[in-house]
Amino acid sequence: MQRLVLASNNQGKLVQLRNLLANTPVEVVAQVQLGVNEIEETGLSFVENALLKARHAARITGLPTLADDSGLCVSKLHGAPGLYSARYAGKHGDDLGNNTKLLRELEGVPDAQRAAFFICMLALISHADDPAPQLAEARWYGRILHAPRGTQGFGYDPLFLPDGQQVSAAELDSTLKNRLSHRARALARLLPSLSTTP
């Protein structure tokens, strides 16, 4: 079985990616299991940050690496929280603080002006200096609710109502979410590359 480092310390992402790769010949290993610390995300785009994280983990482990940089972009907020989704409220990974700040920023804004999308950029590299990384992007469109709903998922899921759904991303059945989500669809685009990565 091929080992693949996931360049993230986000437990939610790790669980989701392991589920999505369950029927493939790939063993996902969290970077923390191999002694890799998180690198500062200094890129100016999701693709830059994904590549920074992938190269950092691959350089330390010597293994093929998959990195995810993703976030929530809200039209009314000119794309915020965007690149800073994980630390929108100040502290990295503070889901409650991030959601509370987002609701505050959108207070009084009607449904028609609460359009948003999740974006996921995946970068797959076979080694740290890989000159031809495999990249995949996907977006999941919807709008921001006025209050959190549901306990599944992570991040902004309780506030995100996907287009065509009656429940939030945190209320969706996990099987359905693994077909619809930005991360699931980005990974589906990379699956052919995963089978050929040395």
Side-chain angles (χ1 to χ4, degrees):
M1 178 174 282
Q2 176 184 322
R3 297 184 86 200
L4 181 71
V5 178
L6 176 63
S8 175
N9 289 346
N10 184 310
Q11 192 61 31
K13 289 181 183 181
L14 182 61
V15 169
Q16 188 178 22
L17 286 165
R18 277 188 172 142
N19 288 339
L20 291 168
L21 292 168
N23 297 317
T24 69
V26 175
E27 176 194 0
V28 177
V29 183
Q31 66 178 9
V32 69
Q33 293 176 251
L34 301 173
V36 180
N37 60 315
E38 286 197 321
I39 190 173
E40 187 178 356
E41 298 175 19
T42 57
L44 299 179
S45 66
F46 290 102
V47 67
E48 288 178 40
N49 281 338
L51 284 168
L52 278 171
K53 291 188 276 190
R55 293 193 191 284
H56 173 69
R59 188 161 283 114
I60 293 172
T61 64
L63 293 169
T65 300
L66 177 68
D68 161 304
D69 199 50
S70 51
L72 177 71
C73 300
V74 181
S75 299
K76 181 71 174 177
L77 303 179
H78 308 289
L83 285 176
Y84 307 101
S85 294
R87 53 191 186 278
Y88 190 43
K91 180 184 175 185
H92 194 280
D94 179 9
D95 290 351
L96 179 60
N98 291 336
N99 281 285
T100 299
K101 180 176 180 179
L102 181 59
L103 287 176
R104 189 169 62 245
E105 296 289 332
L106 292 174
E107 191 171 351
V109 176
D111 288 350
Q113 297 176 34
R114 299 173 80 93
F117 63 87
F118 277 120
I119 181 170
C120 174
M121 175 59 71
L122 293 178
L124 174 66
I125 60 175
S126 57
H127 57 87
D129 299 313
D130 191 340
Q134 301 292 314
L135 302 173
E137 178 193 314
R139 300 182 183 199
W140 194 16
Y141 291 91
R143 67 174 171 85
I144 303 302
L145 295 163
H146 293 268
R149 287 172 24 189
T151 57
Q152 308 298 318
F154 57 97
Y156 296 94
D157 285 354
L159 293 181
F160 186 74
L161 181 68
D163 286 348
Q165 300 298 316
Q166 302 301 313
V167 297
S168 77
E171 296 172 302
L172 276 179
D173 171 78
S174 60
T175 303
L176 179 58
K177 184 180 179 185
N178 283 343
R179 287 206 319 268
L180 299 177
S181 81
H182 52 307
R183 191 165 292 109
R185 289 185 293 114
L187 186 62
R189 292 171 185 169
L190 271 189
L191 282 178
S193 301
L194 280 169
S195 64
T196 58
T197 299

